[in-house]
Amino acid sequence: MLVEKKIIGHIPRCYALTPLIYQGGEHLLVASEQKERCVLYGLDGKEEEVIWTEPGGVMTMLQVPETDGIFLSTQFFYSPNDAEHGKIVVVFPKDGRWLTRTLVTLPFVHRFGILKRNGVRYLIACTVKSGQRHKNNDWSFPGKVYAAVLPEDLGAFDDEHPLRMDVIMDNMVKNHGYYKICEDGAEKALISCDSGVYKFTPPEKPEGSWNICRILDTPASDAVLVDMDGDGCGELAVISPFHGDTISIYKMREGRFVKVYEYEKPAPFSHAIYGGMLLNTPVVIIGHREGARDLLIFTWNKEKADYEARIIDHGCGSANVHKFSWQGEDYILSANREMNEVAVYKVNL
């Protein structure tokens, strides 16, 4: 495996990242979980704009589909113990500036996503917990999952006029993982917590109910579904438990997911996760933030009929990763939190 690494910036405790279509071009957004910058980069790695210098506390950013540069972001989540003022904001460009308005105040909001079904967009948001008695890893108030129809016009929302979101599931201790998947042509979400991995499917109509089913009862921090071996059935790649050190792959056997692979080394504080195509190959990418702090690529070896892991960087401590393409090549963008570096990897499998 050939890997070319390029450090494109330094952001203290860089954490969240997402692609952004803006002014007809593709860009990359990276933000910090601390009171630090959110920066817009070009695909060539050049810093283009600073979106804000604070408040930071960003766990998730995501472009609003079919818009020019408008995106949603969490703010004020500085750690699971310091997120009681968490919210989701709308950020949009106007007259050479970037304006921020509150969409909804949601204490301890950690992940969110936008899912579309039958022409309707839904915002789904996850709180890692719902409250705390003290700031010392208090998990006595389980997290929840909220949902709402996401209106086309987001300009009417602010602190006094927030978007109403309804609880669609509660009692989710250490509600950490969110990943959007497409299954049978439908957009769905995998949400992971101490009681396992759940699949959330939006309703057929806005007045309908979400379909929620638990697909794995193993305590999980994050999960993604990818057909790695090409048999037409997706494998479930799972980090467990919360911020855990175990990376496993599950296959569907007789109607339930069964573990078929476990990475042979402990990977403490596994956190970054991506599942999808890289150089026309289905892969899972995982980074862990303690111990060796490796960035790993998992693939299916057809000759050995087994899964294998390769280290593409060592000591980086990635918090989140994103795959993008530029000039006919595939790249991995990584928020290497433990090194305060924003890095791009050109990988040849």
Side-chain angles (χ1 to χ4, degrees):
M1 175 182 291
L2 299 177
V3 179
E4 299 177 29
K5 178 181 179 180
K6 180 181 179 181
I7 299 173
I8 64 173
H10 290 87
I11 300 177
R13 296 297 185 260
C14 53
Y15 186 98
L17 41 79
T18 194
L20 188 75
I21 305 298
Y22 172 52
Q23 295 183 337
E26 297 182 53
H27 307 262
L28 303 167
L29 275 173
V30 184
S32 173
E33 69 172 280
Q34 297 300 308
K35 295 179 181 179
E36 269 289 344
R37 299 182 299 157
C38 173
V39 179
L40 185 72
Y41 294 92
L43 298 189
D44 58 1
K46 294 181 180 179
E47 181 176 319
E48 297 178 337
E49 295 186 57
V50 175
I51 308 301
W52 64 65
T53 56
E54 56 177 89
V58 182
M59 297 288 102
T60 306
M61 297 185 293
L62 183 64
Q63 179 157 16
V64 178
E66 302 171 1
T67 68
D68 181 23
I70 300 175
F71 68 96
L72 306 182
S73 175
T74 55
Q75 288 186 340
F76 297 100
F77 190 114
Y78 302 117
S79 78
N81 299 317
D82 186 7
E84 59 269 30
H85 301 296
K87 60 173 63 179
I88 300 175
V89 299
V90 185
V91 185
F92 52 95
K94 186 176 182 180
D95 301 328
R97 297 183 300 153
W98 293 87
L99 305 182
T100 301
R101 299 170 67 110
T102 297
L103 179 64
V104 57
T105 296
L106 206 57
F108 301 98
V109 61
H110 180 256
R111 301 291 192 202
F112 68 82
I114 300 172
L115 304 176
K116 190 174 183 178
R117 187 174 186 186
N118 295 333
V120 179
R121 296 183 307 192
Y122 298 89
L123 177 65
I124 179 171
C126 310
T127 57
V128 70
K129 63 172 76 170
S130 296
Q132 58 189 17
R133 295 184 179 90
H134 53 78
K135 292 188 175 183
N136 186 23
N137 296 323
D138 178 7
W139 298 104
S140 57
F141 296 87
K144 301 177 182 180
V145 179
Y146 296 77
V149 172
L150 188 67
E152 293 290 332
D153 182 11
L154 299 176
F157 298 101
D158 56 27
D159 284 306
E160 286 71 39
H161 306 89
L163 175 69
R164 174 182 170 178
M165 301 196 72
D166 296 320
V167 176
I168 59 174
M169 187 169 179
D170 58 12
N171 199 32
M172 302 183 74
V173 178
K174 298 179 180 177
N175 184 20
H176 181 270
Y178 174 94
Y179 209 96
K180 177 181 174 179
I181 63 170
C182 290
E183 185 180 62
D184 302 324
E187 295 183 348
K188 305 179 182 182
L190 295 181
I191 296 178
S192 307
C193 64
D194 248 19
S195 58
V197 180
Y198 295 80
K199 185 190 301 179
F200 286 69
T201 304
E204 291 188 10
K205 299 180 180 180
E207 61 272 18
S209 299
W210 285 72
N211 180 276
I212 305 170
C213 63
R214 185 165 65 172
I215 61 174
L216 190 72
D217 59 7
T218 299
S221 192
D222 289 271
V224 66
L225 193 66
V226 182
D227 183 7
M228 300 179 70
D229 60 10
D231 69 349
C233 181
E235 286 99 314
L236 190 66
V238 179
I239 295 170
S240 60
F242 174 72
H243 286 171
D245 65 355
T246 302
I247 301 170
S248 306
I249 296 175
Y250 294 76
K251 285 285 291 185
M252 185 66 73
R253 297 280 190 263
E254 298 180 352
R256 66 186 186 93
F257 279 105
V258 176
K259 185 186 291 191
V260 294
Y261 170 85
E262 183 175 309
Y263 183 48
E264 63 271 16
K265 300 178 183 178
F269 210 143
S270 285
H271 197 277
I273 188 166
Y274 164 82
M277 302 300 291
L278 180 70
L279 297 177
N280 298 315
T281 300
V283 304
V284 171
I285 302 172
I286 292 178
H288 62 102
R289 290 167 46 185
E290 292 182 355
R293 302 190 302 197
D294 292 330
L295 187 60
L296 303 154
I297 290 185
F298 295 85
T299 55
W300 172 256
N301 188 314
K302 293 182 179 179
E303 294 181 357
K304 297 180 180 179
D306 199 2
Y307 306 93
E308 61 182 13
R310 302 176 186 178
I311 298 174
I312 65 170
D313 198 7
H314 183 74
C316 56
S318 176
N320 284 289
V321 288
H322 165 70
K323 174 254 179 177
F324 69 96
S325 299
W326 181 56
Q327 296 184 341
E329 303 282 356
D330 282 355
Y331 296 83
I332 299 167
L333 172 69
S334 179
N336 290 342
R337 178 191 182 279
E338 308 311 316
M339 298 297 290
N340 301 320
E341 65 183 24
V342 183
V344 170
Y345 301 85
K346 180 180 177 183
V347 181
N348 188 332
L349 292 177

